[in-house]
Amino acid sequence: MSAEIVQLVEQAGPYLTTAVSAFGAAVLTRAEGTAADATVALGQRILQAVWRRRDEAGQAELERVVNEAADEQDESYTAAVLGRLLRRALQDDAELRAELAAMLPAQAAGSVTITASGERSIAAQHIGTAITGDGHTAPRP
């Protein structure tokens, strides 16, 4: 798999997960203007770009996969399912890769993107101690 596809999937992943979490499979057919925020809107545009390039059977498969991802409570599973879906879509479609690259915000050289989404999620580039959940006490130095 090309480095370009890997990079596009990594960049698009948080947008896809957020859009599917917000709208479920309706993200594929929902009017774009109704998206709650920029992250959801971009994830929706990416999924709809994949949707438009598929035949009827491919659209049914995409809808099934998105439904499955939306029903899943484990966000890492959802991200993995959507990442696999996007990698397959990008593999043989140079036009889709170009369209997606144009949609995604350009990353500055050396920049780092960190995303946390979901209840009690945390994200950090560098972290000492992070505790989530109930009934924990901070470790003693």
Side-chain angles (χ1 to χ4, degrees):
M1 182 169 314
S2 77
E4 176 190 21
I5 291 174
V6 171
Q7 181 181 5
L8 289 171
V9 170
E10 285 176 0
Q11 278 185 273
Y15 299 102
L16 299 179
T17 303
T18 303
V20 169
S21 295
F23 293 133
V27 73
L28 298 170
T29 56
R30 188 178 188 105
E32 187 176 321
T34 61
D37 65 25
T39 301
V40 172
L42 181 53
Q44 182 179 25
R45 286 198 326 267
I46 292 166
L47 284 168
Q48 287 177 344
V50 174
W51 173 268
R52 284 191 306 270
R53 287 179 161 68
R54 297 197 164 201
D55 60 14
E56 196 172 309
Q59 288 178 347
E61 177 196 12
L62 178 60
E63 188 171 1
R64 180 190 57 75
V65 169
V66 169
N67 267 324
E68 178 183 314
D71 289 343
E72 183 58 46
Q73 297 300 312
D74 180 0
E75 193 167 312
S76 62
Y77 174 82
T78 299
V81 167
L82 294 172
R84 243 185 342 269
L85 177 137
L86 187 57
R87 274 191 295 280
R88 276 190 270 137
L90 292 170
Q91 201 118 34
D92 297 321
D93 193 338
E95 286 181 22
L96 180 59
R97 287 193 301 271
E99 184 178 349
L100 185 60
M103 280 185 213
L104 290 166
Q107 288 190 320
S111 69
V112 175
T113 301
I114 301 169
T115 304
S117 178
E119 187 176 330
R120 298 182 185 188
S121 294
I122 59 170
Q125 183 175 6
H126 304 286
I127 194 163
T129 301
I131 300 172
T132 63
D134 296 329
H136 293 282
T137 57
R140 294 178 187 233

